[in-house]
Amino acid sequence: MRPVRLMKVFITRRIPPEGSAALARAADCEVEQWDSDEPIPREDLEQRMAGAQGLLCLLSDRIDKKLLDAAGANLKVISTMSVGVDHLALDEIKKRGIRVGYTPGVLTDATAELAVSLLLTTCRRLPEAIEEVKNGGWTSWKPLWMCGHGLSQSTVGIVGLGRIGQAIARRLKPFGVRRFLYTGRQPRPQEAAEFQAEFVSTPELAAESDFIVVACSLTPATRGLCNKDFFQWMKKTAVFVNISRGEVVDQDDLYQALASGQIAAAGLDVTTPEPLPTNHPLLTLKNCVILPHIGSATHRTRNIMSVLAADNLLAGLRGEPMPSELKL
């Protein structure tokens, strides 16, 4: 009896334990992993990918033509532990007939929670307030000291009313938001009905919103969408939050808008590049709160993401329907 030939799978990083366990149980796979929380060096990745039939990667791994060439003709499946796929060379992947799995839906709630947390942190100036407690700036109660902006009776604009955009609106509604606006490729009347959200142009959303949350996908149309013009349309009292992708925002223009008082404040969970250099001008501003891309960072969510990524990979290798396949 001929021995069964195992399918080679490579994982680009340590992943949560439930996803690792799902792959370890796969008797038809030989699993190799970069056993570190830090990214695998590019040369090592190209070497380790040679001959692999399956790849489980993260959003910080750039899967381009050179890597696909290094992997060779055996590569059948790429499973990314992310909802975003802008790190994948999709045209090249499609040309080679490689299937792609991703993890939509499962991180919606965690990302929406983080968006609301970041919005409140930014508009109520919490990092500044904490620092004042630590450095002795808190001397007495003062009527105008550390005042921020509240959500009650406000207008909130959401750029991209997809799963995450809707989840953000759902969480903000109980704060007494008076009006929701949204923009995107096209109106979404069914989804918008829950919040009585109005579909408007990008300039109108920027001009009329007290708070703006960017939750769209990164596409050629959205790359650099939030630029000098966008910030000039905004109110001087408005607060800007981005939890989508860093490339949606022109960071030089954002810096100028914040430093000049064109807008009140900004909260970012995503930047360009990631990680943001510690000497970046945005980090010098008190009215800019920056987080290290932790939108989906809850234990439960990351475990679920890892299991879905593993299940997508195994299904693809076995020629079965994936739980979440990206249609190319």
Side-chain angles (χ1 to χ4, degrees):
M1 183 175 171
R2 295 174 63 186
V4 176
R5 189 173 179 181
L6 300 179
M7 294 179 285
K8 178 181 173 182
V9 167
F10 186 69
I11 310 172
T12 63
R13 204 85 53 90
R14 287 185 195 137
I15 62 172
E18 292 182 20
S20 293
L23 289 171
R25 289 193 297 268
D28 51 353
C29 292
E30 176 189 355
V31 179
E32 294 183 24
Q33 182 180 37
W34 179 252
D35 191 21
S36 172
D37 292 327
E38 298 302 320
I40 180 172
R42 189 69 181 180
E43 286 185 12
D44 290 340
L45 178 57
E46 291 173 4
Q47 290 172 8
R48 302 281 289 271
M49 275 297 297
Q53 288 153 290
L55 170 67
L56 195 156
C57 65
L58 310 184
L59 57 82
S60 52
D61 299 312
R62 193 177 76 258
I63 312 301
D64 56 12
K65 183 180 185 299
K66 187 179 179 186
L67 183 65
L68 295 171
D69 287 341
N74 284 342
L75 188 61
K76 296 165 58 178
V77 184
I78 296 171
S79 178
T80 181
M81 195 178 123
S82 66
V83 63
V85 293
D86 44 280
H87 57 300
L88 307 179
L90 295 178
D91 289 343
E92 193 66 33
I93 289 168
K94 181 178 180 180
K95 193 187 304 180
R96 297 169 189 239
I98 298 168
R99 295 173 69 186
V100 174
Y102 70 134
T103 59
V106 297
L107 48 70
T108 298
D109 288 339
T111 305
E113 288 171 5
L114 190 280
V116 174
S117 301
L118 181 55
L119 177 58
L120 291 169
T121 297
T122 305
C123 73
R124 293 301 300 271
R125 302 172 63 185
L126 299 191
E128 287 181 77
I130 292 166
E131 190 58 34
E132 290 295 284
V133 173
K134 291 179 177 179
N135 66 21
W138 182 19
T139 57
S140 68
W141 189 89
K142 307 163 196 170
L144 300 177
W145 187 58
M146 294 307 306
C147 287
H149 300 278
L151 282 161
S152 181
Q153 294 301 303
S154 68
T155 296
V156 172
I158 298 176
V159 180
L161 198 67
R163 289 188 194 91
I164 294 172
Q166 292 167 53
I168 292 168
R170 196 168 293 122
R171 285 159 174 77
L172 288 177
K173 191 175 179 181
F175 282 91
V177 173
R178 180 177 59 86
R179 186 182 179 210
F180 284 101
L181 308 177
Y182 73 101
T183 189
R185 287 191 297 265
Q186 58 192 16
R188 307 189 68 168
Q190 272 189 300
E191 293 84 351
E194 180 182 347
F195 324 104
Q196 294 83 50
E198 306 165 42
F199 182 74
V200 296
S201 67
T202 298
E204 187 176 349
L205 180 140
E208 296 194 18
S209 298
D210 300 302
F211 302 93
I212 294 173
V213 183
V214 181
C216 58
S217 302
L218 178 63
T219 67
T222 61
R223 189 181 298 275
L225 174 70
C226 301
N227 55 17
K228 182 179 180 180
D229 289 340
F230 187 96
F231 298 125
Q232 285 180 341
W233 293 327
M234 287 176 62
K235 299 175 181 180
K236 288 187 181 295
T237 54
V239 173
F240 175 85
V241 169
N242 182 21
I243 53 91
S244 62
R245 285 292 184 267
E247 292 92 336
V248 174
V249 177
D250 186 311
Q251 288 178 175
D252 292 337
D253 291 348
L254 176 60
Y255 173 81
Q256 293 300 328
L258 289 167
S260 67
Q262 179 67 48
I263 66 173
L268 310 174
D269 186 43
V270 288
T271 61
T272 306
E274 292 183 0
L276 195 67
T278 55
N279 64 350
H280 195 282
L282 283 171
L283 293 171
T284 67
L285 300 173
K286 286 187 176 181
N287 58 344
C288 187
V289 179
I290 299 179
L291 303 179
H293 202 153
I294 56 169
S296 63
T298 69
H299 293 294
R300 180 175 181 274
T301 298
R302 291 283 171 85
N303 259 312
I304 293 171
M305 288 173 69
S306 72
V307 170
L308 180 53
D311 289 347
N312 282 335
L313 183 69
L314 294 173
L317 288 170
R318 294 164 181 165
E320 299 168 356
M322 289 185 187
S324 293
E325 182 167 3
L326 184 69
K327 300 303 180 184
L328 300 177

